[in-house]
Amino acid sequence: MIKVGIVGGTGYTGVELLRLLLSHSGVEVAVITSRAEAGVQVSALYPSLRGHLDLAFSVPDVSVLATCDLVFFATPHGVAQNMMPALISRGIRVIDLSADFRIRDADVWADWYGQAHGCPELISEAVYGLPEVNREAIKSAQLLACPGCYPTATQLGLIPLLENNLVDPSDLIANAASGASGAGRQANVNNLLSEISDSFKAYGSAGHRHLPEIEQGLRDVQPEGADAAQLTFMPHLLPMIRGIHATLYANLQGGGKELSDAALQDLYETRYAQEPFVDVLPWGSHPATRSVRGSNVCRIALCRPQGRDKIVVLSVIDNLTKGASGQAVQNMNIMFGFDENEGLRHVALMP
Amino acid sequence: MIKVGIVGGTGYTGVELLRLLLSHSGVEVAVITSRAEAGVQVSALYPSLRGHLDLAFSVPDVSVLATCDLVFFATPHGVAQNMMPALISRGIRVIDLSADFRIRDADVWADWYGQAHGCPELISEAVYGLPEVNREAIKSAQLLACPGCYPTATQLGLIPLLENNLVDPSDLIANAASGASGAGRQANVNNLLSEISDSFKAYGSAGHRHLPEIEQGLRDVQPEGADAAQLTFMPHLLPMIRGIHATLYANLQGGGKELSDAALQDLYETRYAQEPFVDVLPWGSHPATRSVRGSNVCRIALCRPQGRDKIVVLSVIDNLTKGASGQAVQNMNIMFGFDENEGLRHVALMP
Amino acid sequence: MIKVGIVGGTGYTGVELLRLLLSHSGVEVAVITSRAEAGVQVSALYPSLRGHLDLAFSVPDVSVLATCDLVFFATPHGVAQNMMPALISRGIRVIDLSADFRIRDADVWADWYGQAHGCPELISEAVYGLPEVNREAIKSAQLLACPGCYPTATQLGLIPLLENNLVDPSDLIANAASGASGAGRQANVNNLLSEISDSFKAYGSAGHRHLPEIEQGLRDVQPEGADAAQLTFMPHLLPMIRGIHATLYANLQGGGKELSDAALQDLYETRYAQEPFVDVLPWGSHPATRSVRGSNVCRIALCRPQGRDKIVVLSVIDNLTKGASGQAVQNMNIMFGFDENEGLRHVALMP
Amino acid sequence: MIKVGIVGGTGYTGVELLRLLLSHSGVEVAVITSRAEAGVQVSALYPSLRGHLDLAFSVPDVSVLATCDLVFFATPHGVAQNMMPALISRGIRVIDLSADFRIRDADVWADWYGQAHGCPELISEAVYGLPEVNREAIKSAQLLACPGCYPTATQLGLIPLLENNLVDPSDLIANAASGASGAGRQANVNNLLSEISDSFKAYGSAGHRHLPEIEQGLRDVQPEGADAAQLTFMPHLLPMIRGIHATLYANLQGGGKELSDAALQDLYETRYAQEPFVDVLPWGSHPATRSVRGSNVCRIALCRPQGRDKIVVLSVIDNLTKGASGQAVQNMNIMFGFDENEGLRHVALMP
């Protein structure tokens, strides 16, 4: 039984983390912090937790957090980097769900996030927590940077093609759509039900912060000598709560053009055969986000419209689960030697 | 480990039953029937089950079902009553999620369901599966009639008042609203997203089939000599998938009028103190259906607007869980001596 | 052609008012104010108005507003009362969509709104703008208080019964539900899509500000000698944008009990026969809010469940149209002698 | 005043057509047919029309329809082609909202629609009713084929680029999403609220029937000598009622690469300057489908992510209005010499 703390427990990734950890046999949630709600029972803010958790929010305090074996940060960017040195130096293991340690180049981070990085010296310590790529490094990570939601769906969808250099890396497209919970639990007119229900639109076309993270991750898996992956990334906002759907386009190149549908399908099935949380559907399927609602699974399907040289990959996750808190628990399981499925066996809620 | 079969597994209560049973440590799902989908993998119809269940639908066959310890019926009304004698006579225990055995008077059943009852001789064998009222009888039931969704929310909300004769039983109102999944997975223009999304309306004002079931249940808990409970029941259709919300109105009478808010609150808390799936919120709370989404809990709150003699009870459940499949699993746990929580420990999915 | 100004044009009632006025043949929108958005084109904030309106928000200025024939206030409560004396004294006619002048007793207003009334001396000048009751007085009103959304749906549903003393006035219930646009366009966590989509709950059980307005209106139509109408009012929040649905319960009394369904139906049809915006559906109908989406109509239907003495009235409006801006335009038409339908001929948007 | 008939008035394009025609000053709706609902008042099926239309459905009858100046077909494909010769030979003008006469090659039509074309001899008579391309031909058309919803949004978004050969025509992508009303008012499990609410998925990846229509339309506007436009078309299903959003990707080529953002923006603004129903938003905008809900406008915006050579065009319409019935009315206005805006001046319903 390990003791864990959660910094920033009032947001959606916080409550999702609690939902999952409360079904985990090897974890005790000992601390959960919130300056704004200090003293308030967590279950008073989230009645869904009544009867499951008897714990109040407390003011974040390094000395208290340091009594934990593991601390999760479920905070906006810019928070984890400030508390990180104190925790790392005390030998505490940390899983950061925010963007603070995902990008290896501090200058790139500063450009996209509009502020200098507060702790650049620890960036190189961070392990990028995409288990399907980095499982070995994750096992021994002290500071784990949990991937973003769009980056998870996009990378898992494109990795098999890029690893094998089967598509033109200079012309990749991720047309992605997210439920509104991706924007967090912030008082913001733009996320009111009256603003976004019964409507659909793109956003962030001038550049979304997940773009550099995705390109970095895609380039990491390319074979040596390949042109650096370059992505057109267009996010959209769905009139619903949970779910990310990525529709990925790439142009088959070289030997890729000669591959049969069956061979492409086999490529994906083989690549992910041992992965507990990647499910490759039959060729031509259309995974729905509801098929992963509340579960940690990424479902992927392939098609090749009209048999032309454009391959289309459909990839869905729950942005709060495999796109955030579920992936964090998966990483925790790897780091602490739990069964990778522990706390993550939920069947998606359908309908 | 008991072997269970499910008759009629293609509907929403069927897939919900599977979701719950797959997380139950003491159950093996051995058979699941559907004439229409015979031979099809269940997970092909419901991709959410991929990786969790390797079983195909089969044609319903009593001799196969009779190899199970327990058979669930997740069928429209009129189906279970036809197969019931064959199963009961073989000593199989049955939990019927349909309406076939909920009403004790076969003539009343025939009036409301518009057909003669196919198996009136077994009605008296059936135990009405509301554990909060009938737990002892449930333990030894062979034929269990699982309550309807509206009846569950309404009865749990009114029982403490009626048991103690604190309100006028002749003037009860249940203004209730259900998500669209309550109408099942039938091809019906009236349940298209384009028909019911972004809209709200009442239905069934001429008489809903749950009315006689509710009145029967309410009368069962009244003290001797009280006037028979009489309910105005108005169901409404919500533009959402899961959830029932019952707003219950009653006029305090006699000693009831003298009770303080605290005393009324205490009445409910005491009544349900030992109930694992009834959660009484603080006085004046407003339980949201999302607080029970995917969970087996019924959350109840009380208020007394303007301190007048009208008491209002708010009661929410997930219509597919405590209102159907979760309650069925709870009954199974009681019947077979499992921990009553087993398979039902899910935290509600929120947001 | 009259010149109108709008104070507070950035909210939902403001943009709805513009939508309607832009289709009105006798009105020129000359001024629209917003401190926060001063200088910004209205159509930049509301792209739906691109091509229909070339006007920028301006800082509110009495001398500019005084050049209008009519000023609408589409502001939160507490704003109109401060600017009102200056406009009234200049002889400008005003339609206030806020709650400032709806309640005739300044102390009651202060109790429910938690602040002293800023302009009690003008309250007696205000005409309550429910045309179905006050059409004559509206014609010559200088200061018109436009009814709230719940009060409109509730009063129109109950008036025929109360005018004729057919029901027990001491035990009226309005179980009402509103779309999220009723809460306005405020940055508030409680109104995020992720908080209220796919869920349903009651709110305001401790007392909603529309209660005293409704009771005042109901009492106004009662015959002399009747007991004062007393209402249990329970509002609920719907996971959708527009629409109010009121389910109204009353106990038939005296001669009311003897009335046939046809006689009750006739009572309503006769009462509203000349009303352009009240539509009485056939007995036993279930009006859906979508049937009035974007239109100024109130649709009403009656039923009497199980033939008992409880009559149930279903009443639906669009909270932004008949519940706010449409009713404001209807009042304007009456005040300025336009055809009462002008600008209000839109067919509801369905589906 | 012209007399019009509508064949197939029970579907969503039928009721939308009625909504628009009822606000048109020059049209009398004389006939509306439905075999299934013959004898039923239209307003009984669609209560939104109560008070606006006093007409019953009738069985389709050529001799009755032939008394009209214009007949609309709002039917599934395969219906119009059977009745067309009888109407055309009588000199009646026809606007067909179905797919029967959109594709000029009868064999291509047969391939995609899975049946032989029933009236190939009239295909060459048909004018494709996209006013922004074919206004002159529309004026004198007797048989007008109204474009599909996806084809309208996609063509309007790509035409300026293709007309000027600024992008590689062999690698166009339309990643499009539609509200559920696009699937019509058919009893189909796949379109139940419980199936598609709160979820998102692609569909039709094996080939959607709108693909050949779009490619035909795009090729029509290309300059001579250009390679034939070739499109990857991926439709998706949105959890909402109305709206189409097309996210269009193309690779700038030749001189196109040298164009500044301002020049590209100017290209679009100039191309559509005289079009009453195409609105080009400022560069980098994100048009939301709600900005056109219930209106006939197509809103378009451009961006060029990271300044690379991929241009992205965002194009939104209401699938039932500009994507079907509104465009039909626009075509009628052109054919009969009405003001092109008549009956189409509605401001979008927002929120």
Side-chain angles (χ1 to χ4, degrees):
Chain A
M1 191 71 88
I2 63 169
K3 261 179 76 173
V4 309
I6 301 175
V7 180
T10 63
Y12 294 141
T13 54
V15 67
E16 177 72 351
L17 199 50
L18 286 169
R19 183 179 73 91
L20 300 171
L21 292 175
L22 290 170
S23 75
H24 194 292
S25 63
V27 171
E28 178 206 354
V29 179
V31 187
I32 177 161
T33 80
S34 163
R35 279 186 204 286
E37 305 287 344
V40 174
Q41 277 284 319
V42 177
S43 63
L45 189 66
Y46 287 114
S48 55
L49 298 172
R50 284 172 61 94
H52 293 280
L53 180 69
D54 180 18
L55 189 66
F57 291 108
S58 57
V59 172
D61 176 334
V62 167
S63 65
V64 175
L65 292 169
T67 65
C68 296
D69 299 291
L70 170 66
V71 172
F72 292 96
F73 280 86
T75 46
H77 69 267
V79 176
Q81 56 190 234
N82 291 327
M83 297 180 68
M84 200 58 74
L87 291 168
I88 293 297
S89 66
R90 279 170 169 82
I92 310 303
R93 299 180 86 174
V94 176
I95 293 180
D96 179 13
L97 282 79
S98 85
D100 280 8
F101 294 92
R102 293 177 190 158
I103 292 179
R104 286 195 298 272
D105 184 324
D107 292 335
V108 170
W109 194 92
D111 278 354
W112 284 87
Y113 288 86
Q115 60 186 96
H117 197 286
C119 178
E121 67 280 9
L122 284 178
I123 294 180
S124 63
E125 306 283 307
V127 173
Y128 187 70
L130 194 64
E132 292 77 6
V133 174
N134 280 346
R135 188 171 280 105
E136 280 311 303
I138 292 167
K139 287 179 182 169
S140 56
Q142 186 185 1
L143 166 46
L144 188 125
C146 213
C149 49
Y150 286 125
T152 296
T154 304
Q155 290 176 78
L156 292 176
L158 289 175
I159 281 171
L161 293 171
L162 287 172
E163 282 177 343
N164 294 285
N165 211 22
L166 298 173
V167 294
D168 176 0
S170 71
D171 187 7
L172 305 168
I173 295 174
N175 189 101
S178 174
S181 62
R185 193 169 160 275
Q186 310 297 326
N188 185 328
V189 167
N190 294 329
N191 295 323
L192 297 179
L193 181 137
S194 296
E195 293 292 308
I196 56 179
S197 180
D198 210 37
S199 190
F200 185 63
K201 64 166 190 169
Y203 68 99
S205 64
H208 186 287
R209 286 163 172 171
H210 283 171
L211 175 60
E213 178 186 343
I214 301 172
E215 288 191 341
Q216 171 184 282
L218 295 178
R219 290 169 188 174
D220 283 353
V221 302
Q222 290 186 280
E224 223 169 309
D227 291 341
Q230 196 165 282
L231 181 76
T232 301
F233 174 47
M234 284 295 299
H236 299 70
L237 181 56
L238 286 162
M240 59 186 229
I241 300 175
R242 283 170 177 248
I244 280 192
H245 186 288
T247 308
L248 308 166
Y249 300 88
N251 297 316
L252 292 164
Q253 70 174 5
K257 293 193 191 187
E258 311 308 320
L259 290 178
S260 65
D261 294 354
L264 287 162
Q265 177 73 13
D266 186 60
L267 173 76
Y268 273 70
E269 291 187 0
T270 302
R271 174 61 177 83
Y272 292 125
Q274 304 307 315
E275 288 301 336
F277 296 113
V278 182
D279 177 25
V280 181
L281 298 178
W283 182 268
S285 296
H286 302 109
T289 58
R290 69 170 184 156
S291 78
V292 296
R293 183 163 44 209
S295 103
N296 199 49
V297 175
C298 173
R299 295 200 201 278
I300 292 175
L302 306 170
C303 62
R304 197 172 165 178
Q306 279 63 56
R308 297 171 183 170
D309 289 337
K310 184 83 72 186
I311 185 162
V312 181
V313 185
L314 308 173
S315 172
V316 300
I317 60 170
D318 184 320
N319 56 301
L320 295 180
T321 320
K322 182 64 174 170
S325 306
Q327 189 143 265
V329 171
Q330 185 182 358
N331 277 302
M332 175 191 78
N333 287 340
I334 297 170
M335 289 164 68
F336 286 86
F338 296 117
D339 182 321
E340 199 165 326
N341 283 290
E342 184 56 32
L344 298 171
R345 296 194 179 87
H346 309 77
V347 175
L349 196 69
M350 180 160 133
Chain B
M1 190 72 90
I2 64 170
K3 261 179 76 173
V4 310
I6 300 174
V7 180
T10 63
Y12 295 142
T13 53
V15 67
E16 178 72 350
L17 199 49
L18 287 169
R19 182 179 74 90
L20 300 172
L21 292 175
L22 290 170
S23 75
H24 194 291
S25 63
V27 171
E28 177 205 356
V29 180
V31 187
I32 175 161
T33 80
S34 162
R35 279 185 206 285
E37 304 287 344
V40 174
Q41 279 283 318
V42 177
S43 64
L45 189 66
Y46 288 114
S48 56
L49 298 172
R50 284 173 61 94
H52 294 279
L53 180 69
D54 181 18
L55 190 66
F57 291 108
S58 57
V59 172
D61 177 334
V62 168
S63 65
V64 175
L65 292 169
T67 66
C68 296
D69 300 291
L70 170 65
V71 172
F72 292 96
F73 280 84
T75 46
H77 68 267
V79 175
Q81 57 190 233
N82 291 326
M83 297 180 70
M84 200 59 74
L87 292 169
I88 294 297
S89 66
R90 280 171 171 82
I92 310 304
R93 299 179 87 174
V94 175
I95 294 179
D96 179 14
L97 283 79
S98 86
D100 280 8
F101 293 92
R102 294 176 190 158
I103 293 178
R104 285 195 299 271
D105 183 325
D107 293 335
V108 171
W109 193 92
D111 278 353
W112 283 89
Y113 288 87
Q115 61 187 92
H117 197 286
C119 179
E121 68 279 11
L122 284 177
I123 293 179
S124 63
E125 307 282 308
V127 173
Y128 188 68
L130 194 63
E132 292 77 7
V133 173
N134 282 344
R135 187 171 280 106
E136 279 310 304
I138 292 167
K139 286 178 182 170
S140 56
Q142 186 185 1
L143 167 46
L144 187 126
C146 213
C149 48
Y150 286 124
T152 298
T154 303
Q155 289 175 78
L156 292 177
L158 289 175
I159 281 171
L161 293 171
L162 288 172
E163 282 176 342
N164 295 284
N165 212 21
L166 299 173
V167 294
D168 176 1
S170 71
D171 186 7
L172 305 169
I173 295 174
N175 189 100
S178 173
S181 62
R185 193 169 160 274
Q186 310 298 327
N188 185 328
V189 167
N190 295 330
N191 295 322
L192 297 180
L193 181 136
S194 296
E195 294 292 309
I196 55 179
S197 179
D198 210 38
S199 190
F200 185 62
K201 63 166 191 171
Y203 68 99
S205 63
H208 187 286
R209 288 163 171 171
H210 283 172
L211 174 62
E213 178 185 346
I214 301 172
E215 288 191 339
Q216 171 183 282
L218 295 179
R219 291 169 188 176
D220 283 352
V221 302
Q222 290 185 279
E224 222 167 310
D227 291 342
Q230 195 165 281
L231 181 76
T232 301
F233 174 48
M234 285 294 299
H236 299 71
L237 181 55
L238 286 163
M240 59 185 230
I241 299 175
R242 285 171 176 247
I244 279 192
H245 186 289
T247 307
L248 308 166
Y249 300 88
N251 296 318
L252 292 163
Q253 70 175 5
K257 292 192 191 187
E258 312 309 320
L259 291 178
S260 66
D261 295 353
L264 287 162
Q265 177 73 13
D266 186 59
L267 173 77
Y268 273 71
E269 291 187 0
T270 302
R271 175 61 178 84
Y272 292 126
Q274 305 307 317
E275 288 301 334
F277 295 114
V278 181
D279 178 26
V280 181
L281 299 177
W283 182 268
S285 296
H286 302 109
T289 59
R290 69 171 184 155
S291 78
V292 296
R293 183 163 44 207
S295 103
N296 199 49
V297 175
C298 173
R299 294 198 202 280
I300 291 175
L302 307 170
C303 62
R304 197 171 165 179
Q306 279 64 57
R308 297 172 183 169
D309 289 338
K310 183 83 74 186
I311 184 162
V312 182
V313 185
L314 308 173
S315 170
V316 299
I317 60 169
D318 184 321
N319 55 302
L320 295 179
T321 319
K322 182 65 174 169
S325 307
Q327 189 142 266
V329 172
Q330 185 181 358
N331 277 303
M332 176 189 78
N333 287 341
I334 297 170
M335 289 164 68
F336 287 85
F338 295 116
D339 182 321
E340 200 165 324
N341 283 291
E342 183 57 31
L344 298 171
R345 296 195 178 86
H346 310 77
V347 175
L349 196 68
M350 182 160 133
Chain C
M1 189 72 86
I2 63 170
K3 261 178 77 173
V4 310
I6 301 174
V7 180
T10 62
Y12 294 141
T13 54
V15 67
E16 178 72 351
L17 198 50
L18 286 169
R19 182 179 75 90
L20 300 172
L21 292 175
L22 290 170
S23 75
H24 195 291
S25 63
V27 171
E28 178 205 355
V29 179
V31 187
I32 177 162
T33 79
S34 163
R35 279 186 204 287
E37 304 288 344
V40 174
Q41 278 284 319
V42 177
S43 63
L45 189 65
Y46 287 115
S48 55
L49 299 173
R50 284 174 61 94
H52 294 279
L53 180 69
D54 181 17
L55 189 66
F57 291 108
S58 57
V59 172
D61 176 334
V62 169
S63 65
V64 176
L65 292 169
T67 66
C68 297
D69 299 291
L70 171 65
V71 171
F72 293 96
F73 280 85
T75 46
H77 69 267
V79 175
Q81 57 190 233
N82 291 325
M83 297 180 69
M84 200 59 74
L87 291 169
I88 294 297
S89 66
R90 280 171 169 82
I92 310 302
R93 299 179 87 175
V94 175
I95 294 179
D96 179 14
L97 283 79
S98 86
D100 280 9
F101 292 92
R102 294 176 190 160
I103 292 179
R104 286 196 297 272
D105 183 324
D107 293 336
V108 171
W109 194 92
D111 277 354
W112 283 88
Y113 288 86
Q115 60 186 94
H117 197 286
C119 178
E121 67 279 11
L122 284 178
I123 293 180
S124 62
E125 306 282 307
V127 173
Y128 187 69
L130 194 65
E132 293 76 7
V133 173
N134 282 343
R135 188 171 281 105
E136 280 310 303
I138 293 167
K139 287 179 181 169
S140 55
Q142 186 184 3
L143 167 46
L144 187 124
C146 213
C149 49
Y150 285 124
T152 296
T154 303
Q155 289 176 78
L156 292 177
L158 289 175
I159 281 171
L161 293 172
L162 287 172
E163 283 176 343
N164 295 284
N165 212 21
L166 299 173
V167 294
D168 176 0
S170 72
D171 186 8
L172 305 169
I173 295 174
N175 189 100
S178 173
S181 62
R185 193 169 160 274
Q186 310 297 325
N188 185 328
V189 167
N190 295 330
N191 295 322
L192 297 180
L193 181 137
S194 297
E195 293 293 308
I196 55 180
S197 179
D198 210 37
S199 190
F200 185 62
K201 62 165 192 173
Y203 67 100
S205 63
H208 187 286
R209 287 164 170 170
H210 283 172
L211 175 61
E213 178 185 343
I214 301 173
E215 288 192 339
Q216 170 183 280
L218 295 179
R219 291 168 187 175
D220 283 352
V221 303
Q222 290 184 279
E224 222 167 311
D227 291 341
Q230 194 164 282
L231 180 76
T232 301
F233 174 48
M234 285 294 300
H236 300 71
L237 181 55
L238 286 163
M240 58 186 231
I241 300 175
R242 284 172 177 247
I244 279 192
H245 186 289
T247 307
L248 308 166
Y249 300 87
N251 296 318
L252 291 163
Q253 69 175 5
K257 292 192 191 188
E258 312 308 321
L259 291 178
S260 66
D261 294 353
L264 287 162
Q265 177 73 13
D266 186 59
L267 173 77
Y268 273 70
E269 291 187 0
T270 302
R271 175 61 178 84
Y272 292 126
Q274 305 306 318
E275 287 301 334
F277 296 113
V278 181
D279 178 27
V280 181
L281 299 178
W283 182 267
S285 296
H286 302 108
T289 59
R290 68 170 184 156
S291 78
V292 296
R293 183 164 42 209
S295 103
N296 199 48
V297 175
C298 174
R299 294 199 202 279
I300 292 175
L302 306 171
C303 62
R304 195 171 166 178
Q306 278 64 58
R308 298 172 182 169
D309 290 337
K310 184 83 74 186
I311 185 164
V312 181
V313 185
L314 308 173
S315 170
V316 300
I317 59 170
D318 185 322
N319 56 302
L320 295 180
T321 319
K322 182 64 174 170
S325 306
Q327 189 143 265
V329 172
Q330 185 182 358
N331 278 303
M332 176 190 78
N333 288 340
I334 297 170
M335 289 164 68
F336 286 86
F338 296 118
D339 182 322
E340 199 165 325
N341 283 291
E342 183 57 31
L344 298 172
R345 296 193 179 87
H346 309 77
V347 175
L349 195 70
M350 181 158 132
Chain D
M1 190 72 86
I2 64 170
K3 261 179 76 173
V4 309
I6 301 175
V7 181
T10 62
Y12 295 140
T13 55
V15 66
E16 177 73 350
L17 199 50
L18 286 169
R19 183 179 72 91
L20 300 172
L21 292 175
L22 290 170
S23 75
H24 194 291
S25 63
V27 170
E28 177 205 356
V29 180
V31 187
I32 176 161
T33 80
S34 163
R35 280 186 203 285
E37 304 288 344
V40 174
Q41 278 284 320
V42 178
S43 63
L45 190 65
Y46 287 114
S48 55
L49 298 173
R50 284 174 60 95
H52 294 280
L53 181 69
D54 180 17
L55 190 67
F57 291 107
S58 58
V59 172
D61 176 335
V62 167
S63 65
V64 175
L65 291 169
T67 66
C68 297
D69 299 291
L70 170 66
V71 172
F72 292 96
F73 280 86
T75 46
H77 70 266
V79 175
Q81 57 190 233
N82 291 325
M83 297 181 67
M84 200 58 74
L87 291 169
I88 294 296
S89 66
R90 281 170 168 80
I92 310 302
R93 299 178 87 174
V94 175
I95 294 179
D96 179 14
L97 282 80
S98 87
D100 279 8
F101 293 92
R102 292 176 191 159
I103 292 179
R104 286 195 298 271
D105 184 323
D107 292 337
V108 170
W109 193 92
D111 277 355
W112 284 88
Y113 288 86
Q115 61 186 95
H117 197 286
C119 179
E121 67 280 11
L122 284 178
I123 294 180
S124 63
E125 306 283 306
V127 173
Y128 187 70
L130 194 64
E132 293 77 8
V133 174
N134 281 344
R135 188 171 279 105
E136 279 311 304
I138 292 167
K139 288 179 182 170
S140 56
Q142 186 185 2
L143 167 45
L144 187 126
C146 214
C149 49
Y150 286 125
T152 297
T154 304
Q155 290 176 76
L156 292 177
L158 289 175
I159 281 172
L161 294 171
L162 287 172
E163 282 177 342
N164 294 285
N165 212 23
L166 298 173
V167 294
D168 176 1
S170 72
D171 187 7
L172 304 169
I173 295 174
N175 189 101
S178 174
S181 62
R185 192 169 161 275
Q186 310 297 326
N188 185 329
V189 167
N190 295 330
N191 295 323
L192 298 179
L193 180 136
S194 296
E195 292 293 308
I196 55 180
S197 178
D198 209 38
S199 189
F200 186 62
K201 64 165 189 170
Y203 68 99
S205 63
H208 187 287
R209 287 164 171 170
H210 283 172
L211 174 61
E213 178 186 344
I214 301 172
E215 288 191 341
Q216 171 184 283
L218 295 179
R219 289 169 188 174
D220 283 353
V221 302
Q222 290 186 280
E224 221 167 311
D227 292 342
Q230 194 165 282
L231 180 76
T232 301
F233 173 49
M234 285 295 299
H236 298 71
L237 181 56
L238 287 163
M240 59 186 229
I241 300 175
R242 285 169 176 248
I244 280 193
H245 186 290
T247 308
L248 308 167
Y249 300 88
N251 296 317
L252 292 163
Q253 69 174 7
K257 293 192 192 188
E258 313 308 321
L259 290 178
S260 66
D261 295 352
L264 286 162
Q265 177 73 13
D266 186 60
L267 173 76
Y268 273 69
E269 291 187 359
T270 302
R271 175 61 178 82
Y272 292 125
Q274 304 307 317
E275 288 301 335
F277 296 113
V278 182
D279 177 27
V280 181
L281 298 178
W283 182 268
S285 296
H286 302 109
T289 59
R290 69 169 183 156
S291 78
V292 297
R293 184 164 42 209
S295 103
N296 199 48
V297 175
C298 174
R299 295 199 202 279
I300 292 175
L302 306 171
C303 62
R304 197 171 165 177
Q306 279 63 56
R308 296 169 183 171
D309 290 337
K310 185 83 73 186
I311 184 162
V312 181
V313 185
L314 308 173
S315 171
V316 299
I317 59 170
D318 185 321
N319 55 301
L320 295 179
T321 319
K322 182 65 174 170
S325 306
Q327 189 142 262
V329 172
Q330 185 182 359
N331 277 303
M332 177 190 77
N333 287 341
I334 297 170
M335 289 164 68
F336 287 85
F338 295 116
D339 182 320
E340 199 165 325
N341 283 291
E342 184 56 31
L344 298 171
R345 296 194 179 89
H346 309 77
V347 175
L349 195 69
M350 182 161 133

